[in-house]
Amino acid sequence: MKAFTVLDAKAAPLMRQDVNTDIIIPIHRLRDVAQAELGPYAFEPWRYLPDGSENPDFFLHQPAYRGAEIVVADSNFACGSSREGAVWAMMGMGVRCVIAPSFGPIFFNNCFQNGVLPIQLPRSEVLAIAGELEAATRPGSNSEPRLAVDLEARTVTTPSGRRITFQVDGIRRESLLKGLNEVELTLAREAEIAAHQTKARAATPWLYPAA
């Protein structure tokens, strides 16, 4: 898993509520397409016109937001059916961070397992961030639609320079910072686990019958 420390990147607002995982990755693509090749099919129902050409109204097809690595979304992002492929598809299109007021809980958990940082902020704050990103794309703006996400400091810096603090579970934060999933993070403490087992075996030998 790729470590996540600081991400200073283009950000794009997707201010729709209840975006579900069927939109993020249609189920038939998970049947037919390998995990590493899901990127082109992310948001397929919105991303392409019936003839297969790009939909110019799709948020990531707008020149100012093309290539964004951060998505700023509205409430209940990635709700609906549980599928890890929703995270894989977004990663395949280059997204490393999603900021929203709330998430589908399974998508939220799957993000941490795959090196994507989901940040939950109050909706008023998310709307303000989206407003700054949109303002940065207007003619005459002296800023770009970029955000700086610092996982070590747990801050998001907006185009205007505002710094917003976010919360993230300690173990999950450590996992992302080190680029380790839960299994790898556990194995990294193998010596501590072995020491504890040795101590426990000496203190309670009846729990460890001889082979």
Side-chain angles (χ1 to χ4, degrees), residues 36-95:
E37 298 172 355
L38 287 172
Y41 304 102
F43 295 97
E44 186 177 10
W46 294 346
R47 191 173 175 180
Y48 303 107
L49 298 175
D51 64 2
S53 61
E54 287 190 352
N55 179 358
D57 294 330
F58 180 62
F59 77 119
L60 289 178
H61 287 164
Q62 298 174 34
Y65 301 130
R66 192 178 286 271
E69 296 178 60
I70 303 169
V71 170
V72 178
D74 211 332
S75 302
N76 202 25
F77 182 77
C79 58
S81 58
S82 59
R83 57 189 67 165
E84 196 169 8
V87 178
W88 297 340
M90 292 190 68
M91 290 177 64
M93 66 190 305
V95 174

Side-chain angles (χ1 to χ4, degrees), residues 23-192:
I23 291 295
I24 297 173
I25 187 65
I27 190 64
H28 67 281
R29 295 303 184 188
L30 295 179
R31 180 194 63 205
D32 301 331
V33 181
Q35 174 182 338
E37 298 172 355
L38 287 172
Y41 304 102
F43 295 97
E44 186 177 10
W46 294 346
R47 191 173 175 180
Y48 303 107
L49 298 175
D51 64 2
S53 61
E54 287 190 352
N55 179 358
D57 294 330
F58 180 62
F59 77 119
L60 289 178
H61 287 164
Q62 298 174 34
Y65 301 130
R66 192 178 286 271
E69 296 178 60
I70 303 169
V71 170
V72 178
D74 211 332
S75 302
N76 202 25
F77 182 77
C79 58
S81 58
S82 59
R83 57 189 67 165
E84 196 169 8
V87 178
W88 297 340
M90 292 190 68
M91 290 177 64
M93 66 190 305
V95 174
R96 293 292 318 280
C97 177
V98 183
I99 301 172
S102 57
F103 295 87
I106 296 175
F107 175 88
F108 185 80
N109 292 334
N110 284 336
C111 281
F112 290 103
Q113 294 290 345
N114 290 278
V116 174
L117 174 61
I119 297 175
Q120 194 164 330
L121 293 173
R123 188 166 187 264
S124 58
E125 196 69 89
V126 174
L127 292 174
I129 293 171
E132 285 198 37
L133 295 175
E134 291 168 357
T137 68
R138 295 179 189 137
S141 172
N142 294 320
S143 59
E144 294 182 295
R146 300 180 68 88
L147 296 173
V149 178
D150 187 333
L151 181 56
E152 184 70 53
R154 287 169 285 197
T155 60
V156 176
T157 303
T158 71
S160 69
R162 285 195 312 122
R163 186 167 294 179
I164 304 160
T165 301
F166 64 89
Q167 300 299 317
V168 60
D169 177 84
I171 293 177
R172 286 172 163 171
R173 176 170 168 267
E174 181 184 359
S175 176
L176 285 175
L177 287 171
K178 294 181 177 179
L180 302 174
N181 62 32
E182 288 182 349
V183 173
E184 292 167 331
L185 199 63
T186 301
L187 290 175
R189 306 183 70 173
E190 193 169 6
E192 294 176 56

Side-chain angles (χ1 to χ4, degrees), residues 1-35:
M1 191 170 77
K2 186 178 179 181
F4 190 115
T5 52
V6 176
L7 178 63
D8 186 339
K10 189 179 291 187
L14 175 59
M15 303 316 293
R16 298 193 191 191
Q17 295 188 13
D18 305 316
V19 175
N20 65 55
T21 51
D22 292 312
I23 291 295
I24 297 173
I25 187 65
I27 190 64
H28 67 281
R29 295 303 184 188
L30 295 179
R31 180 194 63 205
D32 301 331
V33 181
Q35 174 182 338

